[in-house]
Amino acid sequence: NEVFTMFPNSVTNGGKTTLAEKLKKMLPNCDVISQDDFFKPESEVETDERGFKLYDALDALYMDEMVTKIQNWIKNPASSGAVTEEPQTACDNEKNIYILIVEGFLLYNYKPLNELWNRRYFLTLPYEECKRRRSTRVYQPADTPGYFDGHVWPMYLKYKNELEENASMQVVYLDGTKSQEELLSYVYSDIMQELNKLRE
C-alpha cells in the first residue's frame, strides 16, 4: 500500500475546508484531518496587550496531537474509520493507494510536518474579499472589534511571507477568488497526475 498526503492551506475563509470535503467525495480511499479540530480551549490561548486572543498562531493549537494523528493514519490508513468507499469509476489499481488530506491555516511552517507531504496547496485571497468573507461567519468566541486588521490579516501576511522566502518550500498557490468548481477541477486533476506518477 502507498500513502499520498496533500495539505490544502489558506488564509481564513479561503475555501480550504470546502475544497477538502469535496475532494474526499471524489477520490478513492480518501480521508480528511482538519487543523481546526486541534484548537486549545479559549482559556489556554494567549492574549496580547490589545486584548486579542492569539488564535492565528501555532501556540493556540495542540500540534503534537495533530502530528501523532497524521502519523498514525499514515502507518495504518486502512484501519481508519473515515476512509471512504471507492467511487464507482475508480480503477482496480487505485485500491492500494490511500489519500490523506490535511487542511488548515498553519501547516507549512511547522517542521515536524515537513516530511509528511506529497503535495502542498495554498489558497490566497485579497484583503477586501477575505475581510468580507470573515464578516459573514460566526465564530466562538466571536471576533472582537479590530481583530481582523489587528491580528488575523497581519499573521496571514507574516506566514505567507515566510513561505515565499523559503526557497525549498514547494507550494502550489491557488486563487481563492476563483469558483469552487474551477479550484476543485484544477486540484483534482493535479492529484490524479501525482497518483499516476506513484503508480509508475
Side-chain angles (χ1 to χ4, degrees):
N1 291 340
E2 291 200 63
V3 171
F4 178 88
T5 55
M6 57 163 291
F7 290 11
N9 195 111
S10 87
V11 62
T12 179
N13 295 283
K16 60 190 176 299
T17 304
T18 301
L19 179 64
E21 290 300 328
K22 288 187 175 182
L23 285 168
K24 180 181 177 180
K25 293 176 182 176
M26 295 173 67
L27 295 165
N29 298 322
C30 185
D31 200 2
V32 175
I33 292 175
S34 173
Q35 190 174 34
D36 285 355
D37 293 338
F38 296 89
F39 270 114
K40 295 176 180 177
E42 184 181 1
S43 60
E44 293 182 33
V45 176
E46 288 186 36
T47 303
D48 70 7
E49 66 279 0
R50 298 163 298 180
F52 292 152
K53 285 283 183 180
L54 304 182
Y55 277 104
D56 288 55
L58 287 170
D59 286 345
L61 297 144
Y62 293 119
M63 290 303 295
D64 288 347
E65 290 182 16
M66 183 176 181
V67 171
T68 298
K69 183 168 183 176
I70 294 169
Q71 290 172 333
N72 289 340
W73 190 98
I74 290 171
K75 287 175 191 171
N76 195 3
S79 69
S80 169
V83 171
T84 60
E85 293 296 319
E86 291 190 77
Q88 293 292 316
T89 56
C91 299
D92 288 344
N93 64 352
E94 288 180 349
K95 290 181 180 176
N96 292 329
I97 295 181
Y98 293 88
I99 302 167
L100 178 62
I101 300 173
V102 182
E103 62 96 356
F105 67 105
L106 284 173
L107 295 172
Y108 302 152
N109 294 17
Y110 189 65
K111 289 182 180 179
L113 291 175
N114 283 352
E115 303 302 317
L116 302 179
W117 58 271
N118 291 91
R119 207 76 171 131
R120 299 180 185 201
Y121 302 95
F122 194 106
L123 283 147
T124 63
L125 282 177
Y127 167 83
E128 290 295 344
E129 176 61 13
C130 185
K131 189 171 186 177
R132 184 193 69 78
R133 291 188 190 183
R134 179 94 182 189
S135 70
T136 66
R137 294 276 293 273
V138 177
Y139 290 91
Q140 292 296 332
D143 283 355
T144 54
Y147 188 68
F148 180 85
D149 289 315
H151 175 62
V152 176
W153 188 254
M155 290 300 290
Y156 161 66
L157 293 179
K158 175 178 179 291
Y159 179 50
K160 187 167 177 281
N161 287 338
E162 288 173 0
L163 286 184
E164 292 170 343
E165 290 169 3
N166 188 340
S168 66
M169 196 76 69
Q170 296 177 323
V171 178
V172 178
Y173 290 92
L174 304 172
D175 180 356
T177 63
K178 291 185 177 180
S179 70
Q180 290 183 1
E181 291 76 16
E182 193 173 353
L183 289 169
L184 183 64
S185 176
Y186 174 83
V187 176
Y188 177 78
S189 297
D190 192 58
I191 292 169
M192 295 310 291
Q193 286 183 8
E194 294 297 313
L195 294 179
N196 288 333
K197 289 178 188 176
L198 276 179
R199 292 190 189 102
E200 292 168 5

